[in-house]
Amino acid sequence: TGGRSIDVKEATIGLVGVFGYKSGFKTQEAFRQDVVSDTVEAEGTNLSSTWDIVINGFGSASASWGDNRVGVTGLLVRSTSKKAQVEVGTDTNLPTGQSYRNEGTAWYERELASAQLSGEHKLGDVELQWRGSIGQSTRKAPYERDISYTVVNGITAFNGASLGNAIRFSELKDEVSSFGFDAKYVLKLAKGRELELSGGAVTSSTDRNYELISFAFTGPRGPTSNNVLRSRVDYLFSPDNIDPARFVISEQTGKDDAYIGSLENLAAYLASEFEVTSFIRASVGVRYEDATQKVRTTNRFGDTPTAPVELANDYLLPAATITWNFADELQMRLGYSKTIARPQFRELAFTPYIDPESNRIYQGNPFLKDSEFENYDARLEYYFGRGQFVTAGAFYKKID
C-alpha cells in the first residue's frame, strides 16, 4: 500500500578451484670441458636422468557489489625430483692411462605456498586497489651423494679422494610478506583529452635461512682388497668397511656453509599519462625505493665466519615514454628509465652451492653491490592489418 520503492543492490560471489598433477622423466647428455689458460685439463660426457613429480592447487573466492570487489586467493605448488647421473672422461692431472668415472644421486623437494587478500573500490572518481600477501617457499635436499672412481685398463675402482666423494644435506626456507595499494584518478581536459594520475606504495619483507651439512668418507687408511675398492658404493661403504683401518666418515661442513638473509623494501611511485596533442601521448613517472639487504653466514662450530654484508640504499627512479602517431598505421615510441638490480642472497653469501643443471660449484661474493641501469629505447611500429604489424627497435643500456 502506498507509493514506496525499494532499491535492491545485488552481490556476486565467485569461486574458482584448480588442481594439477604431472609426472615425467627427463634424460640429458652433456659434453663438458674444464679449461685452464687455454688448455683443456678435463673433458667428459655426463648422462643424467631425472624423475619429476609436480602437484599444484589454486583456489580463489571473490565477492562483488556495486563498484567494490574483495577476493582471496591461495596457491600451493610442490615438486619432488629424483636424479641420477654418471660422468666418464679424461683428466690430464691423472696418471697416464687413467680416466675417471663420477656417479651421483640426489633427491630434491620444493614447495611454494602463498595467500593473498585484495580489493578494488571506486570512490567517486578515484579507483583504489589494495592487496596483502604472505608466502613461504622451501627447498630441501635431504640426500645428495657423489662418488668418484678411477678407471685403469677398463677396471673401475674407488680412488680414495675426498674431492668428488661427498654426502650433503641442505635446507632453504624463504618467508615473504607484503602490502601495497594503488590509486588512479582521471581528470577531464579541454577538447576531450584526459589526464590520468596514479600513485601507490608497497612495503615488503623477505627472510631466508639456508643450512648445509656435508660429510665424506676418507680412506682407505690401510690395506684394502681390490674387490672392495671395485664394489659399487653401497657395498664399498657398508658397515663392514667402516673401520679406523679402512674408511672413516668426517664432516666437511665449512664455516660459511649456512647463512641468514633479510630484505626490507619500501617503495612508492607517482605517474601521469596524458595527450600532449591528438597525435602525441606521454607517460611520465618516478619511483622511490628504500631497501636494506643483509646477509650473514653462520656455523655450528663456533668458528668466525666471513664478515656480514649489509646493502642499505635509496633510489629515485624516473621513467618517461612518448608515443607519436604520425600516420594512420605508423607510430614511434621513445622511452627512458632508470632501474636497479639487487644481488640475490646466495650471490652475496660466501657459501658454496652446486648448480644441479651444470653440476658445477659456485660461491657467493660478499663485495657485490646493487647494479644501476639507465635505459634508452626507440621503436617504430607499422600496423597493416588486424593482428598484423612490423616493429623495428633499438636500445642503449648503461650499467653501473
Side-chain angles (χ1 to χ4, degrees), residues 26-284:
K26 179 178 66 176
T27 300
Q28 294 178 307
E29 186 178 59
F31 179 71
R32 293 176 46 191
Q33 291 182 319
D34 293 340
V35 181
V36 179
S37 300
D38 296 332
T39 301
V40 178
E41 285 199 348
E43 60 182 14
T45 300
N46 183 286
L47 181 66
S48 65
S49 184
T50 305
W51 181 17
D52 292 310
I53 297 178
V54 181
I55 61 171
N56 58 79
F58 172 81
S60 175
S62 64
S64 303
W65 67 99
D67 294 325
N68 304 283
R69 179 186 177 277
V70 175
V72 59
T73 59
L75 172 69
L76 175 65
V77 181
R78 180 177 176 84
S79 69
T80 304
S81 302
K82 172 66 175 173
K83 181 177 182 179
Q85 63 180 350
V86 176
E87 181 173 322
V88 293
T90 59
D91 191 329
T92 57
N93 296 309
L94 295 175
T96 303
Q98 294 189 12
S99 59
Y100 69 85
R101 176 185 176 90
N102 297 331
E103 300 178 358
T105 61
W107 178 278
Y108 302 104
E109 300 172 7
R110 303 176 180 90
E111 185 174 288
L112 168 65
S114 66
Q116 183 183 72
L117 180 66
S118 61
E120 300 176 7
H121 312 276
K122 190 170 184 179
L123 308 174
D125 295 330
V126 178
E127 296 181 14
L128 177 65
Q129 297 181 345
W130 58 268
R131 68 269 177 202
S133 64
I134 57 174
Q136 177 178 282
S137 61
T138 60
R139 178 188 181 275
K140 297 179 181 180
Y143 195 86
E144 292 180 284
R145 185 74 175 92
D146 295 305
I147 187 169
S148 178
Y149 294 96
T150 300
V151 182
V152 182
N153 297 326
I155 299 176
T156 301
F158 178 63
N159 57 24
S162 59
L163 185 65
N165 167 33
I167 306 171
R168 295 180 298 274
F169 305 86
S170 62
E171 184 172 351
L172 179 147
K173 180 169 70 173
D174 274 335
E175 294 180 322
V176 182
S177 61
S178 67
F179 178 81
F181 72 90
D182 301 281
K184 183 172 69 175
Y185 175 74
V186 179
L187 180 64
K188 303 296 183 179
L189 302 178
K191 299 181 180 179
R193 289 183 291 172
E194 294 180 342
L195 171 63
E196 182 180 292
L197 301 173
S198 59
V202 62
T203 177
S204 63
S205 174
T206 303
D207 293 296
R208 169 174 289 192
N209 284 276
Y210 174 77
E211 185 174 4
L212 167 70
I213 300 176
S214 179
F215 301 91
F217 285 103
T218 58
R221 296 188 168 192
T224 305
S225 69
N226 288 331
N227 289 335
V228 171
L229 297 178
R230 295 170 184 173
S231 301
R232 70 188 200 192
V233 62
D234 53 339
Y235 292 153
L236 176 66
F237 297 128
S238 64
D240 293 339
N241 293 326
I242 307 304
D243 185 276
R246 284 195 176 179
F247 298 106
V248 175
I249 193 168
S250 62
E251 185 164 356
Q252 307 291 313
T253 310
K255 64 183 181 67
D256 294 305
D257 282 358
Y259 68 86
I260 299 172
S262 66
L263 174 62
E264 303 289 336
N265 190 13
L266 174 64
Y269 77 93
L270 291 173
S272 64
E273 185 174 347
F274 54 94
E275 293 179 343
V276 181
T277 69
S278 57
F279 302 104
I280 300 177
R281 190 171 185 87
S283 299
V284 180

